[in-house]
Amino acid sequence: MIAIYKKDQILYTIADQELDADDGATLVKALNEHLKSNELPAWYMEMEPRKKGVKKSSGERLDISFPEEARLKKIALVGEKTWQERFTESLLPFSEAHIKYFGPEDGNMANNWLEQTSNSNSN
């Protein structure tokens, strides 16, 4: 399951570790729209810790590819290190973006890091 919302130049996505193909398609659509409608788009991606007894997702690589990939300026990944390593493969199309990793408890720090650029460019 995935939740998506926007604030200024930042697209926020919060997902659990049960991401499926439909969630991936929803994410790609939201990212495409975000890239088209913002000058300096940034992305906050948080993966919630796996709950005990819940089946882990298949670990398939999300297919994320955009013609505007160089326009995404910053990506904050919030979650456990093993998830960050796996998800990074999906971010290869965004190789020109500044990607920064944050622990599961560091969501506020990640948000502040993204907002620094968003706020400084809107003045």
Side-chain angles (χ1 to χ4, degrees):
M1 173 160 240
I2 191 164
I4 301 172
Y5 63 97
K6 299 172 190 170
K7 180 182 174 197
D8 302 322
Q9 303 271 339
I10 304 170
L11 178 72
Y12 292 88
T13 56
I14 302 172
D16 62 23
Q17 294 205 13
E18 295 298 307
L19 282 176
D20 60 21
D22 289 338
D23 293 327
T26 300
L27 175 59
V28 168
K29 181 180 177 189
L31 281 166
N32 264 315
E33 291 171 0
H34 186 62
L35 286 167
K36 290 176 184 173
S37 62
N38 292 284
E39 287 183 38
L40 296 168
W43 179 23
Y44 174 101
M45 177 62 185
E46 181 175 335
M47 181 67 75
E48 295 178 344
R50 187 169 75 124
K51 297 176 184 96
K52 290 188 178 199
V54 175
K55 186 184 126 214
K56 195 172 182 177
S57 63
S58 66
E60 287 182 24
R61 181 182 179 276
L62 284 175
D63 183 22
I64 302 176
S65 58
F66 305 99
E68 301 97 347
E69 69 263 10
R71 289 187 55 223
L72 194 55
K73 300 303 178 193
K74 286 176 122 179
I75 301 171
L77 288 181
V78 179
E80 297 170 342
K81 187 173 181 137
T82 54
W83 167 80
Q84 291 175 353
E85 291 169 354
R86 208 176 75 211
F87 195 76
T88 297
E89 290 179 26
S90 298
L91 298 176
L92 291 178
F94 300 110
S95 60
E96 293 185 27
H98 183 174
I99 301 170
K100 192 166 180 176
Y101 302 93
F102 298 88
E105 66 286 342
D106 297 327
N108 286 336
M109 254 192 324
N111 186 53
N112 290 339
W113 178 71
L114 290 173
E115 285 184 346
Q116 286 173 356
T117 298
S118 180
N119 290 338
S120 66
N121 288 306
S122 63
N123 293 335

